[in-house]
Amino acid sequence: MALRNIVVEGDPILRKVCRPVDKVDDRIRMILDDMIDTMHDAMGVGLAAPQIGMMRRMFVAEPEEGEIYCFVNPEIVYVDGEQECVEGCLSVPGYQGVVIRPEKIRIKGLDYNGEEQEYEFEGFHANVMCHEFDHLEGVLYIDKANNVVKIEE
Ligand code: ZN
């Protein structure tokens, strides 16, 4: 396992639509492990593959401490309601903004073992999953936020 460099805004890699993963094999699992380590090291709650320079449809998320999700080829199959979310992004360091997200989602995809999973999330969990999913489409929260503010140097 190893830490990966986090790509920051301005790099065109963050603006590309990622390609599906063919198969969840040991190589993919190694990358997922690295992504989890990198997310922990950066004290983030989620990290998508393009943020480490990999144009593949996968992300990791830890909306609550110790509750880690790996999603490969995720699909958001249902959304409901609205919530206002205060978001930041490891690829846009030092900033925060408010984004309107669905209050509830259903998301399916392959997990760390390549097994199909489907979850229903709401509140902060839904917020995190939508943010990470957007990365796979080349979308950053700053595209959707109405008031991005600097929070630190
Ligand atoms: Zn992000």
Side-chain angles (χ1 to χ4, degrees), residues 46-48 51 87-92 131-132 135 139-141:
L47 190 71
Q51 292 183 278
E87 298 189 14
C89 179
L90 294 175
S91 294
V92 190
H131 176 115
E132 298 312 325
H135 275 296
V139 173
L140 298 176
Y141 86 88

Side-chain angles (χ1 to χ4, degrees), residues 120-133:
E120 197 161 289
F121 292 119
E122 53 184 83
F124 184 63
H125 282 62
N127 174 11
V128 172
M129 303 305 166
C130 288
H131 176 115
E132 298 312 325
F133 183 85

Side-chain angles (χ1 to χ4, degrees):
M1 294 199 265
L3 297 180
R4 305 278 186 126
N5 286 325
I6 297 177
V7 173
V8 294
E9 206 239 333
D11 192 315
I13 232 167
L14 292 173
R15 295 309 192 168
K16 297 201 168 128
V17 177
C18 296
R19 294 186 300 273
V21 173
D22 296 329
K23 187 173 184 278
V24 182
D25 55 15
D26 286 345
R27 194 184 74 91
I28 291 295
R29 271 187 282 277
M30 190 193 76
I31 295 163
L32 289 167
D33 286 337
D34 286 354
M35 287 170 66
I36 291 167
D37 283 355
T38 305
M39 171 179 73
H40 282 154
D41 182 68
M43 293 189 292
V45 292
L47 190 71
Q51 292 183 278
I52 60 157
M54 269 210 58
M55 306 308 306
R56 294 292 173 181
R57 300 187 77 81
M58 56 188 201
F59 68 77
V60 298
E62 189 176 16
E64 256 178 65
E65 207 182 329
E67 194 184 324
I68 298 175
Y69 297 91
C70 295
F71 277 103
V72 176
N73 298 341
E75 272 179 77
I76 294 175
V77 292
Y78 169 84
V79 298
D80 188 37
E82 267 189 4
Q83 61 171 328
E84 219 173 67
C85 307
V86 178
E87 298 189 14
C89 179
L90 294 175
S91 294
V92 190
Y95 289 86
Q96 241 177 29
V98 178
V99 186
I100 305 298
R101 300 282 190 189
E103 165 61 26
K104 199 188 266 189
I105 65 162
R106 193 174 306 136
I107 182 170
K108 66 176 189 181
L110 303 177
D111 65 12
Y112 187 87
N113 297 309
E115 309 275 345
E116 184 91 44
Q117 302 289 346
E118 187 166 328
Y119 296 94
E120 197 161 289
F121 292 119
E122 53 184 83
F124 184 63
H125 282 62
N127 174 11
V128 172
M129 303 305 166
C130 288
H131 176 115
E132 298 312 325
F133 183 85
D134 273 356
H135 275 296
L136 309 183
E137 297 292 319
V139 173
L140 298 176
Y141 86 88
I142 51 174
D143 305 343
K144 297 181 166 179
N146 42 35
N147 53 342
V148 177
V149 296
K150 202 164 181 145
I151 53 165
E152 61 191 51
E153 281 308 308

